[in-house]
Amino acid sequence: MLYLYSLAAVAAAYLIGSLSFAVIVSRVMGLSDPRSYGSGNPGATNVLRSGNKLAALLTLAFDALKGYVPVLVALLLQPRFGWGELTVGLVGLAAFLGHLWPVFFRFQGGKGVATAAGVLMALNPVLGAATLATWLIVAFFTRYSSLAAIVAAAFAPFFQLLNWGASPMVLPISVMSLLLVWRHEANIRKLLAGTESKLGQKAAAPPPPAPPARHSHHTKHHRKH
């Protein structure tokens, strides 16, 4: 029965992670789908390229929360169900996987930077803060969000190992880090070619949201004849 509770927690975390807030926030605010401009990535950085800072901030906050909240709930329920570190870590990994391959959005997700940060903050606030500090330092000096994410992701498992040893938590953190770096493959190629966009740099103007399809009275009349 405990295994069923564990599976249910992992499945719930995946479904929460599948909420693509870049797309949801953009739709609510009447903006273009972030998958249709810039890098095509449904994440806060690409939403920022639309020029709407509030939409980007909301996307960042909600993407981080959907990684943070499932892990926090799992930690609160841990004593009741006797879950170990690995189970809690898998809950965080499931939320992260939901962001990468969201079931509600045809499995077309983002790169998971904000969601991974939320997961790490909930799993271990010190680890999360160290990883975030790494991102901020690299981003400040290079202005490349993608490079900062890659470096921070690469360092996260080593921070865990150096400070807290080879606990079961290393496995889900390492998988998240590897997937995050892999999702930045296109950015790595652009960085090497010197064509990667920097923070605050606007991409081509996003297309306007498509108006709803309308059928004219003339068309309907013509079809009758």
Side-chain angles (χ1 to χ4, degrees):
M1 183 61 73
L2 290 178
Y3 286 110
L4 290 177
Y5 288 133
S6 300
L7 287 174
V10 170
Y14 170 76
L15 293 176
I16 292 171
S18 290
L19 297 171
S20 185
F21 284 106
V23 179
I24 294 171
V25 169
S26 294
R27 285 179 183 174
V28 170
M29 300 184 70
L31 303 174
S32 300
D33 191 318
R35 296 169 295 183
S36 67
Y37 62 85
S39 66
N41 177 61
T45 301
N46 201 42
V47 173
L48 182 61
R49 292 189 177 108
S50 72
N52 194 311
K53 294 181 179 179
L54 177 60
L57 183 61
L58 289 172
T59 299
L60 179 66
F62 282 118
D63 277 352
L65 281 172
K66 74 181 185 184
Y68 184 87
V69 172
V71 175
L72 179 64
V73 173
L75 287 169
L76 292 173
L77 295 176
Q78 188 177 20
R80 179 177 178 181
F81 296 111
W83 292 334
E85 279 190 5
L86 182 60
T87 300
V88 176
L90 290 176
V91 166
L93 178 60
F96 176 76
L97 293 176
H99 181 83
L100 266 57
W101 294 287
V103 67
F104 305 125
F105 294 87
R106 294 179 294 181
F107 302 99
Q108 298 173 357
K111 296 170 183 175
V113 177
T115 304
V119 170
L120 292 181
M121 279 292 188
L123 288 176
N124 186 332
V126 178
L127 172 63
T131 306
L132 179 59
T134 303
W135 187 95
L136 289 171
I137 291 169
V138 177
F140 178 79
F141 284 105
T142 68
R143 307 298 297 172
Y144 287 117
S145 174
S146 56
L147 180 61
I150 293 165
V151 173
F155 272 83
F158 292 104
F159 288 152
Q160 174 69 24
L161 282 168
L162 289 173
N163 293 283
W164 296 278
S167 70
M169 202 66 75
V170 174
L171 178 61
I173 292 173
S174 298
V175 172
M176 272 199 309
S177 297
L178 288 171
L179 285 172
L180 198 148
V181 172
W182 172 67
R183 293 288 280 195
H184 281 80
E185 179 187 2
N187 301 90
I188 293 172
R189 288 199 298 267
K190 289 180 180 179
L191 284 166
L192 293 174
T195 58
E196 177 70 327
S197 299
K198 293 190 175 184
L199 278 168
Q201 179 179 340
K202 289 187 178 181
R214 293 181 179 178
H215 299 285
S216 66
H217 176 73
H218 175 75
T219 304
K220 291 180 181 178
H221 180 75
H222 179 74
R223 286 178 179 173
K224 287 181 181 179
H225 292 281

